[in-house]
């Protein structure tokens, strides 16, 4: 008992120290908000129950934090990230105690907070980071409900599922895990009454986003199915599948991921390990298939890495040398990786390009474009690319510009900016247009080049064009 208590205290202290390091690194972070981060900030300035590509919780969170702290600085926008991963690690410990002993639980929380997935997620604000605490909370409640029926826990379980869906639709993987447990683990099934309560509560929490999608022609659902899953343009590639699996070994750590898959090679997997396997490994398999069929990003399997640390520690608890070696490697990465964003010019690839290049020079592009537009007396700035629009909206907030997404009004809606801020055509006034090439209109003239000299848009040929009324 004393050993378990010491392990828990050590895990809590370790999680706190890693979190403090990450907050300090955020303070010194010299990169600009990435396109997705800037877009999430913009969502927070236009509160709604849903948005073009994601449900609304991340926008609400950023708005709450920036309003509470009185700043829209990149540090403040990203500040929730390390604390959310800290909270998720604590919830992993709490969830693990429903399945394993305290020693395994302590190690699982310490493992989670140090994996590269959490390290990267603590340096940037993303929907996965907002989702994962709810996934961990739901897993812990599931484990306790499986032990015994409880109406109030069923209510909380429904809240966790519904709130997770309001963060990201990947929460649906939890329902997949429940279905697989129902089929393979009769002893771990929830009571019908608890499931009914959870379903009603979860649906009530998620209902605002369902209604928003109904009112907005299913924008978010269509984006997930048509753009992310890309079901209409399947291009099978086993290389993409292998690349995705390789990215998972990086995201979680090679020793740990092998440990997660190890029970599959046993003759019989049962009990808590089987439950945890069903809440993790199928997610990785599904996204791997997605990667083979039409591509997938490494973070698309993020929800697997809530149950996975608990399972990995359970498998490795009698091979503690491997457990310690894996954790040591991840801790080194956790300490060093944030330094790439603190000193973004230092680490470069084989071509001499900074590894963090896509996070650099973005704000300068917007500032240069704004200065050129002001010098011409133009008050409307437009762009077609989402990456440019995201930073224009963030960086030029409060400068009095009318910011619009350039569109010809044909074809599918490509972004939230096009959906909410399309430019009116034909133009009623002369407009500044930011792009590499001018629009096909008579009388367009170049105002000047927009080149920050470094970062994502250096030497990209960006220009600001004056587009006459009537175009």
């Amino acid at each position: 008992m004393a050993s378990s208590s010491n392990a828990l205290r050590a895990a809590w202290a370790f999680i706190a120290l890693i979190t403090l390091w990450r907050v300090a690194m955020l303070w010194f972070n010299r990169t600009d908000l990435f396109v997705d981060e800037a877009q999430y900030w913009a969502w927070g300035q236009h509160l709604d129950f849903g948005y073009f590509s994601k449900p609304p919780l991340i926008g609400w969170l950023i708005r709450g934090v920036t309003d509470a702290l009185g700043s829209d600085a990149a540090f403040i926008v990203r500040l929730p990230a390390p604390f959310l991963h800290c909270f998720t690690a604590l919830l992993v410990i709490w969830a693990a105690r429903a399945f394993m002993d305290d020693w395994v639980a302590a190690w699982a929380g310490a493992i989670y907070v140090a994996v590269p997935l959490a390290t990267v997620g603590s340096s940037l604000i993303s929907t996965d980071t907002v989702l994962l605490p709810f996934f961990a909370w739901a897993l812990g409640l599931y484990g306790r409900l499986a032990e015994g029926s409880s109406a109030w826990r069923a209510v909380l379980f429904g809240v966790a599922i519904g709130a997770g869906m309001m963060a990201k639709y990947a929460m649906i993987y939890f329902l997949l895990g429940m279905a697989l447990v129902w089929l393979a683990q009769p002893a771990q099934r929830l009571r019908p009454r608890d499931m009914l309560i959870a379903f009603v509560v979860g649906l009530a929490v998620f209902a605002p986003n369902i209604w928003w999608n109904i009112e907005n022609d299913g924008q978010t659902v269509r984006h997930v199915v048509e753009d992310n899953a890309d079901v209409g343009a399947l291009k099978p590639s086993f290389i993409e599948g292998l690349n995705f699996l390789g990215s998972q070994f990086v995201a979680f750590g090679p020793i740990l991921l092998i440990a997660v898959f190890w029970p599959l090679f046993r003759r019989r997997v049962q009990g808590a390990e089987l439950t945890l396997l069903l809440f993790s490994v199928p997610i990785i398999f599904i996204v791997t298939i997605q990667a083979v069929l039409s591509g997938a990003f490494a973070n698309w399997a993020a929800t697997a890495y809530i149950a996975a640390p608990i399972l990995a520690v359970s498998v490795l608890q009698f091979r503690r040398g491997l457990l310690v070696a894996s954790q040591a490697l991840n801790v080194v990465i956790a300490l060093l990786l944030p330094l790439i964003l603190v000193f973004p010019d230092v680490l470069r690839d084989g071509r001499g390009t900074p590894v963090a290049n896509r996070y650099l020079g973005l704000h300068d592009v917007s500032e240069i474009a704004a200065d050129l537009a002001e010098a011409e007396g133009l008050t409307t700035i437009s762009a077609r690319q989402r990456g440019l629009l995201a930073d224009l909206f963030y960086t030029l907030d409060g400068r009095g510009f009318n910011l619009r997404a350039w569109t010809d009004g044909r074809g599918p809606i490509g972004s939230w900016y096009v959906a909410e801020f399309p430019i009116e055509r034909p133009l009623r006034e002369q407009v500044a247009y930011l792009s590499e090439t001018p629009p096909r209109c008579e009388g367009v003239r170049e105002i000047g080049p927009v080149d920050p000299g470094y970062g994502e848009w250096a030497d990209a040929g960006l220009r600001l064009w004056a587009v006459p009324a009537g175009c």
Side-chain angles (χ1 to χ4, degrees), residues 75-402:
F75 169 73
I76 301 299
V77 172
R78 290 168 169 164
L79 186 59
F83 290 107
L84 284 170
H85 281 287
C86 170
F87 190 43
T88 302
L90 297 175
L91 285 170
V92 167
I93 293 175
W94 180 76
R97 296 178 77 181
F99 298 96
M100 302 287 178
D101 61 38
D102 285 357
W103 187 91
V104 171
W107 265 94
I111 288 289
Y112 170 82
V113 82
V115 296
L117 177 82
T119 296
V120 173
S122 296
S123 300
L124 311 163
I125 188 67
S126 72
T127 49
D128 289 313
T129 295
V130 180
L131 164 64
L132 292 177
F134 295 109
F135 206 96
W137 187 26
L139 183 63
L141 287 166
Y142 183 93
R144 286 162 176 81
L145 283 168
E147 293 174 352
S149 180
S150 169
W152 73 270
R153 279 180 174 162
V155 170
L156 294 177
F157 185 53
V159 171
I161 297 292
M165 290 293 290
M166 291 290 277
K168 190 174 183 179
Y169 293 162
M171 188 71 196
I172 203 167
Y173 285 127
F174 196 94
L175 304 183
L176 169 66
M178 287 179 61
L180 293 174
V181 171
W182 180 272
L183 294 172
Q185 282 272 74
Q188 290 288 302
R189 293 174 179 173
L190 301 191
R191 280 66 173 176
R193 185 199 67 165
D194 293 339
M195 292 184 66
L196 178 60
I197 292 172
F199 174 79
V200 172
V201 173
L203 186 62
V205 173
F206 185 47
N209 185 249
I210 296 174
W211 179 253
W212 183 90
N213 269 284
I214 293 171
E215 289 289 296
N216 290 271
D217 194 28
Q219 264 188 33
T220 313
V221 176
R222 285 193 298 107
H223 170 76
V224 171
V225 173
E226 295 175 5
D227 298 334
N228 284 357
D230 202 12
V231 295
L234 299 182
K235 299 176 182 178
S237 170
F238 288 102
I239 297 299
E240 288 297 321
L242 291 174
N243 287 339
F244 173 78
L245 279 177
S247 73
Q248 300 312 291
F249 280 95
V250 174
F252 193 56
I255 296 173
L256 293 173
L257 195 60
I258 291 171
V260 169
F261 285 117
W262 192 253
L264 295 175
F265 299 98
R266 295 177 183 168
R267 287 189 175 182
R268 187 178 181 186
V269 186
Q270 59 186 353
E273 284 194 352
L274 178 56
T275 300
L276 295 167
L277 185 147
L278 293 174
F279 275 109
S280 54
V281 172
I283 300 172
I284 301 172
F285 281 163
I286 289 171
V287 184
T288 300
I289 293 171
Q290 165 69 28
V292 170
L293 294 178
S294 58
F297 291 108
N299 66 300
W300 286 8
T303 50
Y305 302 113
I306 296 299
I310 311 170
L311 178 58
V313 175
S314 176
V315 170
L316 294 174
Q317 61 183 313
F318 302 113
R319 297 173 179 83
R320 296 188 182 183
L322 291 175
L323 195 59
V324 171
S326 178
Q327 182 71 338
L329 175 62
N330 283 346
V331 168
V332 170
I333 294 171
L335 294 176
L336 296 182
L337 195 61
L339 293 173
I340 294 175
L341 304 183
V342 175
F343 304 104
D345 294 328
V346 174
L347 187 62
R348 296 174 178 264
D349 61 22
R351 295 173 296 178
T353 303
V355 173
N357 199 56
R358 68 175 186 166
Y359 305 103
L360 300 175
L362 307 175
H363 296 352
D364 284 351
V365 166
S366 297
E367 294 285 3
I368 294 169
D371 291 343
L372 289 172
E374 279 185 336
E376 291 285 323
L378 302 179
T379 58
T380 298
I381 300 178
S382 183
R384 187 184 296 272
Q385 298 182 53
R386 186 174 72 99
L388 294 173
L389 288 165
D391 199 84
L392 286 169
F393 273 73
Y394 174 73
T395 300
L396 303 186
D397 181 54
R399 286 191 58 171
F401 286 102
N402 177 29

